[in-house]
Amino acid sequence: MTEVAMNRPHQARDARLMGSRPEPARSGSVLGLSTTGFHEIAYVEWGPEESEVPVLCVHGLTRQGRDFDHLAENLARRRRRVVCPDLPGRGRSQSLSDPGDYALPQYCADMNALIARLGVTQVDWVGTSLGGLIGIVLAGMPGSCIRRLVVNDIGPYVSSVGLLRIGSYLGDMPRSFVTLARAERYFREILAPYGELSDEQWRHITAHSVRWDETRHVFTMLCDREIARAFRNPWLVSLNLWKYWERIGVPTLVLHGAKSDLLTHELCDEMLERNANATLHRFEECGHVPPLFELQQIKIVTDFLADKRPAGPD
């Protein structure tokens, strides 16, 4: 008997367990345009649709928008509209035909298309890792619609140590798992820098990182392995976004995992020196990235987004 057949009772139970948490209020999609054609960008929404300034939450390199469920639920209770997209090649969004398009210019264009779909003139931005890089570029552009910016454990320069770690697990990324338990073990290992999470939180990460394939009877990864080619692109190898960082004129909060290998203490200091609109909060208990699951982490973000005073030094 094959391993897949032996595990089918567990697979059926696992499939039923997926999606047991509260769901977003709405979901939708918008068409992005790359060099080879159109692609669908999926997103979910929380909170009241009529909220004037939505919060746009953009995830990290291999992740997807449901990573923000805990933060989004909290903000929705405060009557904020929260929009959490899946970048192309992740989650429920379509993959790109040309892997060379998995780069910052494409991501910025896609997020601009989403903002246009929302029909708003301003957004508050919460960006984790890659999502933070996109936010830095957009907020540093003339005429930007970003009102307040949260950058989660990333800076205008990315260290080679962190890039090597991410690149190594991208190259070894499995395509599928026989059971959710095996998938969870994988995510617990590669996302260990998140810090101490509850079993429920690890299950949440896992459930939204894979999809049940009824035909093959496996859980498939919701991440296009071709995004690994981005590590051979010049925009990442010679990443330098200081010109955008220095032009950001809106209140900006930098979140730092004290054990991070992508955002060093020295880089944090330089970011504060080179932009007076920036403030920093450090979480001592985690590395890359603070997952924004726990109330103490969520409160830092929600308080900043609710504060109408300008950020920066007094």
Side-chain angles (χ1 to χ4, degrees):
M1 184 179 295
T2 67
E3 184 180 21
V4 170
M6 292 173 60
N7 280 286
R8 279 181 182 171
H10 300 288
Q11 292 168 334
R13 178 202 61 201
D14 289 346
R16 289 193 299 270
L17 287 173
M18 293 177 67
S20 58
R21 283 185 55 84
E23 290 297 301
R26 298 169 299 279
S27 63
S29 65
V30 63
L31 286 180
L33 179 62
S34 74
T35 59
T36 56
F38 290 96
H39 54 275
E40 190 175 80
I41 304 161
Y43 60 91
V44 296
E45 288 192 52
W46 302 78
E49 195 168 11
E50 67 277 5
S51 179
E52 183 178 353
V53 179
V55 181
L56 192 59
C57 298
V58 184
H59 59 80
L61 182 66
T62 64
R63 304 301 306 143
Q64 38 68 44
R66 298 301 298 271
D67 282 2
F68 292 103
D69 278 9
H70 300 78
L71 173 64
E73 284 184 76
N74 191 291
L75 285 167
R77 289 196 296 270
R78 300 166 184 260
R79 306 298 298 166
R80 294 298 303 268
R81 180 187 184 187
V82 188
V83 182
C84 306
D86 297 334
L87 291 173
R90 290 84 159 175
R92 297 178 299 112
S93 292
Q94 285 184 308
S95 298
L96 298 177
S97 300
D98 181 358
D101 286 335
Y102 286 126
L104 273 175
Q106 182 65 57
Y107 300 141
C108 290
D110 285 342
M111 293 302 95
N112 189 59
L114 174 58
I115 293 169
R117 162 62 63 86
L118 299 178
V120 297
T121 58
Q122 286 187 313
V123 298
D124 289 341
W125 186 284
V126 179
T128 291
S129 196
L130 174 58
L133 295 178
I134 302 167
I136 289 172
V137 173
L138 292 179
M141 288 279 194
S144 174
C145 67
I146 294 179
R147 184 182 70 168
R148 298 182 80 84
L149 173 66
V150 179
V151 177
N152 189 8
D153 207 65
I154 201 70
Y157 169 79
V158 181
S159 74
S160 59
V161 174
L163 288 179
L164 286 172
R165 177 179 64 80
I166 293 177
S168 65
Y169 84 70
L170 271 177
D172 298 331
M173 182 188 298
R175 297 181 185 276
S176 62
F177 304 92
V178 176
T179 65
L180 269 187
R182 291 196 175 190
E184 184 177 321
R185 284 199 296 271
Y186 170 76
F187 290 112
R188 282 178 181 257
E189 179 180 351
I190 65 165
L191 301 180
Y194 281 17
E196 293 294 327
L197 301 183
S198 69
D199 290 342
E200 186 278 331
Q201 290 166 340
W202 283 118
R203 285 194 295 269
H204 176 80
I205 287 173
T206 304
H208 292 289
S209 300
V210 297
R211 175 187 290 118
W212 173 246
D213 187 326
E214 188 65 45
T215 302
R216 298 171 54 208
H217 294 282
V218 293
F219 293 92
T220 58
M221 287 283 287
L222 293 178
C223 183
D224 184 0
R225 289 167 58 97
E226 292 298 311
I227 67 173
R229 293 200 188 186
F231 286 83
R232 297 193 290 271
N233 283 355
W235 72 265
L236 189 55
V237 174
S238 57
L239 182 65
N240 187 332
L241 302 180
W242 283 115
K243 69 176 182 180
Y244 298 102
W245 178 257
E246 292 172 346
R247 293 173 185 167
I248 295 173
V250 298
T252 300
L253 172 65
V254 179
L255 303 178
H256 181 215
K259 304 172 185 177
S260 175
D261 57 0
L262 279 185
L263 181 61
T264 65
H265 290 246
E266 293 76 17
L267 183 54
C268 287
D269 293 340
E270 187 172 359
M271 291 171 71
L272 298 182
E273 289 172 3
R274 295 176 70 164
N275 192 315
N277 295 299
T279 55
L280 181 137
H281 187 92
R282 181 165 289 133
F283 298 106
E284 299 293 340
E285 69 279 5
C286 61
H288 184 78
V289 294
L292 307 183
F293 283 6
E294 301 292 345
L295 285 178
Q296 59 154 334
Q297 294 183 2
I298 290 172
K299 186 176 188 300
I300 299 300
V301 176
T302 56
D303 285 354
F304 171 77
L305 295 179
D307 192 351
K308 300 299 186 288
R309 296 172 298 173
D314 295 334

